[in-house]
Amino acid sequence: MQEEQRIKELRRTLHEHNHRYYVLAAPTIADREFDALLSELVLLESARPDLFDPNSPSQRVGGGFTDQFEKVSHSRPMLSLANSYSREEVEEWADRIHRESAGETSFTCELKYDGVAIALQYEQRRLVRALTRGDGTVGEDITKNVRTIRSIPLSLPESAPEKVEVRGEIILPFAAFEALNSKKKEKGEKLFANPRNTAAGSLKLQDSGEVAKRGLDCFLYDIQLETPDQWGVQGHSDGVHAAVQWGFKTPLVLSRAFEVAQNVDEVMAFLAHWDSARHGLPFAIDGVVLKVDQHSQRKTLGSTAKAPRWALAFKFETEQGLTRLLRIAYQIGRTGAVTPVAHLEPVPIAGTTVQKASLHNADQIAMLDIREGDMVRVEKGGEIIPKVVGVVLEDRPQDSMPHVYATACPDCQTPLVRAEDEARHYCPNAAGCPEQIKGRIEHFASRRAMNIDGLGSEGVEQLWSAGLIRDVADLYQLEMSALLTLDRMGEKRAGNLLAGIEASKQIPFERVLFGLGIRHVGETVAKRLARHFGSLESLIEASEEALLELDVVGPVIAEAVVDWFAQEANRARVEGLKNSGLQFQVVELEDTSVSQVLAGKSFVVSGVFSVPRDELKRMVEQHGGRLLGGVSGKTDYLLAGDKMGPSKREKAERLKVTVLSEAEFRVLLS
Ligand code: IVH
């Protein structure tokens, strides 16, 4: 009995300290003391499994696995927001609200967090469910993962309502994002693109123990009570103040991040403040959200199918930085493609320091007349690589000279070539250019191909410099004794690397094929080729005509595949890999199909979605649809997410391909 009392007491105390630390940022005990109390709780709980509680503070470290996230309907749809991009639009919106609402209108002003929406349901003051937005009507239950986010209360105090749904945004602060990426860099793995995608990906991990380590945080933006009057909540601002008392992390913990504006001037002052203050925030925002405060007025205004009329998002302009272009260098990709790269004086943009930016190609450099020594404008969109978008001509140094584009490969000195209809230059020395070979090995080892842990760009560089590898096939001949002669290569790291290489022998044929880096053979094409031909032998035998039978294969791909296998060196390479035990045959998989509603339809999936893109691709296949690599006359649907390039959309429109949003796609499935 005493044990039970102590467990309860510890849970209460730890919840409280957790709240002080993660919500209020005002801890009252040392980390060590907290850890001691937590250890005591874990010990007691292990002796009393009958008292298990999924909302115990001990569960914050995660540990549970979720195989498949259950689909659950939302209590009310999770709508999106109408966007605006100028102050005039905001004024027009506010004017309309004034015209259509009775009495004075006040607006709440808050930040538009750039993260992932979440609905948190509490019953009997305990967190019972956390749902993603999904298509707005049906979300996915990710409760286990959400429980690990320290700023989300798992239980509410007695003073709180028994039942409440709180919605908010899960974000990954810059510091946590950078910590994750520096670990990835150390391991030589591909870096995460941006905090938002990383947050979304983290929430869909199967291992909640891993989620717990990511450093996610959450701000709430909506409180839904069954009987708001009972709690004195007449408007959004009342709800937010009440939520603070109930232990939630609200924007009130930040200075000026939640304000009630009585008129448009006050709204504008808020916009002006955050237009510059956003650069100092520890997490990403992509705008500001304005909402009519009073619930009664919101009711009158109502909603469209997509978004409420009482709210408006104001989006800031894409973040730009101004800095000096020190040098133009060139990168050679694994296909020989040359990318000019701007080396910049370090400049902070959107929360990270930028030192390199893409210059696209020779035409772009010529068009903008970009020169070394220029002051340039650098823009950071949703992608990881910033771009140089302009030159400040007034600040050009007097002695500056137009840039002369490289004529030879900076690595192997082979003269560069450029096909007439292509914007890019290429190094044609595929077999001998070290940069290309290293790039191919790196691609082969990458997560989506052979997934060899610890073999990113730095790992490959190290093995290459030591002369241990000259081709992918050499990886399978590596020995412990040779690895141990390398710098920073102890038995542990070497053992991990060899284990990763050994494990890669089980990777299915389609990924091996993708890993070979045949030009134009991406994941989708590799998968289809593997399934269609079944084995390496049949694929080697295949003629261009046989290849063209696949709808994902056009003449360019067919020629590339036949050419690749016609080369003696490539034949020898795959032979070597086969002898090392890699998979060159399709193994029949279990049927994972869910329905056939998309049978006979072909899809191209592009852009950023509420869930990882791979998941949408899997859904297409599970419902009988086929995936294509690019938009063509054979495409039925283009499933378009955010930040999809405009050229894809234009092409789809030209070819009369139906463009679907994620929500429309989900409707199609249901
Ligand atoms: S209110 C019905 N407030 O933006 C209105 N949304 O574009 C519901 N978001 O899916 C949204 N910060 O994930 C609201 N302060 C904020 C927000 C916010 C970020 C996200 C939210 C929503 C998306 C809509």
Side-chain angles (χ1 to χ4, degrees):
M1 208 51 216
Q2 245 183 348
E3 259 171 7
E4 187 169 351
Q5 277 307 333
R6 182 65 184 155
I7 287 179
K8 278 192 180 151
E9 189 180 314
L10 282 168
R11 284 178 180 166
R12 203 169 3 92
T13 314
L14 286 164
H15 274 316
E16 188 185 317
H17 287 303
N18 204 57
H19 176 248
R20 284 182 199 275
Y21 190 95
Y22 290 101
V23 177
L24 306 177
T28 51
I29 58 168
D31 292 359
R32 222 169 344 106
E33 282 175 75
F34 183 93
D35 291 343
L37 293 173
L38 187 60
S39 307
E40 185 187 348
L41 176 63
V42 170
L43 201 68
L44 287 173
E45 284 181 342
S46 66
R48 293 294 304 270
D50 56 315
L51 297 177
F52 174 77
D53 176 358
N55 287 336
S56 165
S58 60
Q59 300 302 305
R60 295 282 196 193
V61 292
F65 268 88
T66 316
D67 274 341
Q68 188 135 33
F69 299 104
E70 194 192 340
K71 300 249 187 304
V72 180
S73 294
H74 285 295
S75 57
R76 283 201 290 141
M78 282 185 91
L79 299 178
S80 55
L81 290 167
N83 286 324
S84 65
Y85 299 89
S86 69
R87 275 152 229 267
E88 291 72 45
E89 283 178 86
V90 174
E91 270 175 27
E92 278 167 24
W93 174 77
D95 282 349
R96 201 176 63 239
I97 302 275
H98 281 304
R99 279 198 308 276
E100 291 178 16
S101 327
E104 293 289 298
T105 311
S106 47
F107 300 98
T108 58
C109 310
E110 59 198 86
L111 304 178
K112 188 167 189 310
Y113 315 101
D114 197 8
V116 183
I118 190 79
L120 304 167
Q121 299 178 350
Y122 290 83
E123 283 169 21
Q124 288 161 337
R125 301 193 188 89
R126 296 161 58 77
L127 177 69
V128 290
R129 205 171 290 117
L131 301 179
T132 62
R133 178 166 183 272
D135 62 3
T137 314
V138 176
E140 282 183 307
D141 186 335
I142 54 165
T143 316
K144 263 198 198 120
N145 287 347
V146 166
R147 282 207 176 98
T148 67
I149 301 173
R150 306 309 202 261
S151 52
I152 293 181
L154 299 180
S155 63
L156 305 180
E158 289 287 316
S159 58
E162 286 210 343
K163 195 167 174 194
V164 62
E165 177 164 338
V166 174
R167 292 178 176 180
E169 195 89 348
I170 293 179
I171 53 164
L172 186 67
F174 289 128
F177 171 71
E178 266 156 28
L180 285 175
N181 261 353
S182 70
K183 270 199 206 127
K184 288 215 139 210
K185 200 165 172 195
E186 253 170 46
K187 289 201 212 154
E189 292 173 359
K190 188 164 176 247
L191 302 189
F192 288 121
N194 57 49
R196 179 166 68 116
N197 289 359
T198 316
S202 301
L203 288 170
K204 300 301 287 290
L205 289 172
Q206 293 187 324
D207 176 6
S208 63
E210 191 52 41
V211 186
K213 293 185 203 148
R214 293 273 166 114
L216 296 165
D217 200 349
C218 180
F219 277 104
L220 65 87
Y221 54 63
D222 190 31
I223 298 101
Q224 300 185 3
L225 293 161
E226 294 204 321
T227 52
D229 288 344
Q230 185 192 339
W231 301 92
V233 171
Q234 260 104 46
H236 180 45
S237 54
D238 300 329
V240 170
H241 280 97
V244 174
Q245 305 305 318
W246 304 333
F248 290 100
K249 185 157 181 170
T250 74
L252 293 171
V253 297
L254 297 169
S255 164
R256 295 202 59 184
F258 186 86
E259 286 186 1
V260 184
Q262 305 301 341
N263 52 49
V264 178
D265 288 345
E266 288 179 15
V267 169
M268 292 300 163
F270 188 85
L271 297 187
H273 171 70
W274 284 105
D275 201 3
S276 62
R278 65 185 154 134
H279 303 295
L281 278 170
F283 51 82
I285 62 170
D286 58 346
V288 155
V289 185
L290 310 169
K291 299 172 186 169
V292 170
D293 190 16
Q294 293 303 306
H295 290 321
S296 57
Q297 289 181 327
R298 287 186 178 190
K299 228 180 185 158
T300 322
L301 291 160
S303 302
T304 68
K306 282 195 177 157
R309 289 198 186 85
W310 44 260
L312 184 71
F314 172 79
K315 295 277 192 101
F316 292 124
E317 275 176 31
T318 318
E319 300 222 27
Q320 280 198 351
L322 203 60
T323 188
R324 193 165 303 283
L325 168 58
L326 302 173
R327 191 164 66 83
I328 296 178
Y330 296 88
Q331 255 172 21
I332 314 295
R334 65 182 165 89
T335 58
V338 177
T339 309
V341 181
H343 287 240
L344 308 163
E345 222 159 66
V347 56
I349 309 178
T352 52
T353 305
V354 174
Q355 302 197 46
K356 281 187 193 169
S358 166
L359 287 164
H360 303 279
N361 53 46
D363 291 344
Q364 183 79 1
I365 295 177
M367 192 180 76
L368 297 173
D369 186 19
I370 299 172
R371 306 179 182 189
E372 288 181 342
D374 274 346
M375 284 303 286
V376 289
R377 275 196 302 280
V378 181
E379 198 170 280
K380 207 166 140 189
E383 305 311 315
I384 191 163
I385 304 170
K387 306 184 273 272
V388 172
V389 293
V391 176
V392 186
L393 289 173
E394 305 89 88
D395 293 341
R396 169 164 284 170
Q398 293 212 325
D399 57 353
S400 98
M401 300 281 282
H403 181 69
V404 181
Y405 204 81
T407 51
C409 172
D411 199 36
C412 68
Q413 277 70 49
T414 307
L416 299 180
V417 295
R418 180 185 191 176
E420 232 165 61
D421 53 349
E422 285 206 49
R424 279 176 182 281
H425 285 73
Y426 282 87
C427 165
N429 181 17
C433 175
E435 273 307 300
Q436 291 187 50
I437 304 173
K438 282 186 275 180
R440 289 200 294 266
I441 300 176
E442 208 181 300
H443 167 76
F444 180 79
S446 67
R447 196 169 50 83
R448 287 161 176 275
M450 306 306 283
N451 193 23
I452 303 176
D453 241 2
L455 199 55
S457 57
E458 283 168 38
V460 170
E461 185 62 56
Q462 196 183 16
L463 295 177
W464 178 277
S465 319
L468 294 179
I469 51 171
R470 286 292 174 264
D471 186 87
V472 290
D474 296 337
L475 293 171
Y476 296 90
Q477 311 304 326
L478 286 175
E479 284 177 10
M480 181 62 113
S481 55
L483 290 177
L484 289 177
T485 62
L486 304 179
D487 267 1
R488 294 175 288 115
M489 185 68 84
E491 271 186 30
K492 185 153 178 249
R493 215 180 127 207
N496 283 344
L497 179 59
L498 290 175
I501 293 173
E502 190 57 33
S504 75
K505 294 180 183 169
Q506 302 311 320
I507 295 284
F509 177 35
E510 60 191 48
R511 281 170 60 188
V512 180
L513 190 56
F514 168 61
L516 291 176
I518 303 171
R519 232 175 137 194
H520 307 298
V521 178
E523 279 176 288
T524 306
V525 173
K527 196 186 272 184
R528 294 292 303 284
L529 288 175
R531 292 192 193 160
H532 185 85
F533 291 99
S535 71
L536 178 71
E537 286 75 19
S538 328
L539 184 59
I540 292 180
E541 297 287 296
S543 62
E544 285 192 29
E545 294 72 56
L547 287 161
L548 283 166
E549 275 173 27
L550 273 85
D551 54 11
V552 287
V553 176
V556 178
I557 300 182
E559 194 186 328
V561 173
V562 170
D563 275 0
W564 199 88
F565 284 112
Q567 290 175 41
E568 197 41 52
N570 291 336
R571 298 272 276 255
R573 174 175 305 132
V574 286
E575 199 52 39
L577 291 173
K578 203 171 161 204
N579 291 337
S580 298
L582 272 67
Q583 305 292 319
F584 279 101
Q585 193 134 13
V586 172
V587 179
E588 283 308 320
L589 294 174
E590 285 171 60
D591 185 8
T592 56
S593 70
V594 177
S595 86
Q596 287 301 315
V597 289
L598 306 179
K601 301 286 180 222
S602 57
F603 283 77
V604 171
V605 185
S606 176
V608 177
F609 300 89
S610 70
V611 295
R613 189 162 54 230
D614 280 349
E615 188 157 324
L616 288 169
K617 289 188 174 175
R618 200 163 54 232
M619 285 164 74
V620 169
E621 293 190 317
Q622 285 179 339
H623 289 273
R626 268 176 306 118
L627 292 168
L628 302 181
V631 177
S632 72
K634 296 172 183 167
T635 314
D636 292 307
Y637 294 104
L638 170 62
L639 178 48
D642 286 346
K643 302 192 173 131
M644 186 184 74
S647 62
K648 273 219 179 78
R649 185 179 291 275
E650 278 160 25
K651 190 160 180 197
E653 279 164 8
R654 195 155 28 82
L655 296 172
K656 306 246 180 318
V657 171
T658 311
V659 182
L660 292 177
S661 69
E662 181 180 345
E664 287 165 332
F665 171 69
R666 289 178 188 273
V667 170
L668 197 71
L669 290 188
S670 60

